[in-house]
Amino acid sequence: EHAKISAWSLSFSADGTRLASGNADGSITVWGEGGVLFRTINASAHNVLVSSVHFSPTHNTRLVSGGAGSEIHVWDVESGEKIRSIAGRAFARFSPDGRTIATASVARPSDVNLVDAESGALLLSMTGHQAHVFTASFSVDGSKLASGSHDGSC
């Protein structure tokens, strides 16, 4: 039997062997095949609930997480080590080629940024929403990005 968690977000690894959950207590749980617990990244990963987790589509061990706090983190799930943090962001999603991460801001709720997945460098900043952006999704080929906001716009 598994421990009870309050999962706010879920993501499968590209090869389907791992499932990550972003949890209400600020932790990230990674499950292996057959539902076996692989790793827990402790509650200090985010000081508040983890509202987005997303595995890289090209690196089965790379995971990005965002929370209701003020930064996103890129993780190596094999070691549990944090690779980097990007301040002022709350939501994160890898592009289909794994080279770019779309992030949403906490400080400027109406913007969506694209950052380089390896360096964290800002590539592009887009504005247009009037309220907090809480989700985004790339098209399968990565040529389009849609974002959703509390203002009701997409």
Side-chain angles (χ1 to χ4, degrees):
E1 183 173 316
H2 299 297
K4 300 220 185 279
I5 58 171
S6 181
W8 278 72
S9 57
L10 298 168
S11 180
F12 274 106
S13 59
D15 65 2
T17 62
R18 302 253 165 82
L19 175 68
S21 65
N23 307 318
D25 68 358
S27 68
I28 299 166
T29 306
V30 182
W31 308 95
E33 291 186 273
V36 175
L37 178 64
F38 175 74
R39 173 172 314 285
T40 299
I41 298 172
N42 70 34
S44 65
H46 292 275
N47 293 328
V48 292
L49 70 91
V50 180
S51 56
S52 70
V53 291
H54 190 233
F55 271 102
S56 167
T58 57
H59 296 93
N60 289 317
T61 63
R62 189 76 44 99
L63 180 79
V64 65
S65 65
S70 62
E71 62 185 2
I72 63 165
H73 305 295
V74 180
W75 303 95
D76 178 326
V77 297
E78 281 297 316
S79 67
E81 297 295 316
K82 189 185 314 178
I83 296 169
R84 89 181 38 74
S85 297
I86 300 171
R89 314 311 291 171
F91 173 85
R93 175 80 50 187
F94 278 102
S95 63
D97 65 7
R99 297 185 316 177
T100 305
I101 302 171
T103 69
S105 173
V106 199
R108 297 193 56 204
S110 63
D111 75 352
V112 175
N113 285 352
L114 298 181
V115 298
D116 182 86
E118 288 302 314
S119 69
L122 178 65
L123 302 172
L124 177 68
S125 184
M126 299 168 281
T127 60
H129 294 291
Q130 300 303 309
H132 182 76
V133 176
F134 58 89
T135 191
S137 182
F138 284 94
S139 61
V140 174
D141 67 0
S143 67
K144 297 178 185 77
L145 176 69
S147 57
S149 169
H150 284 286
D151 65 11
S153 65
C154 288

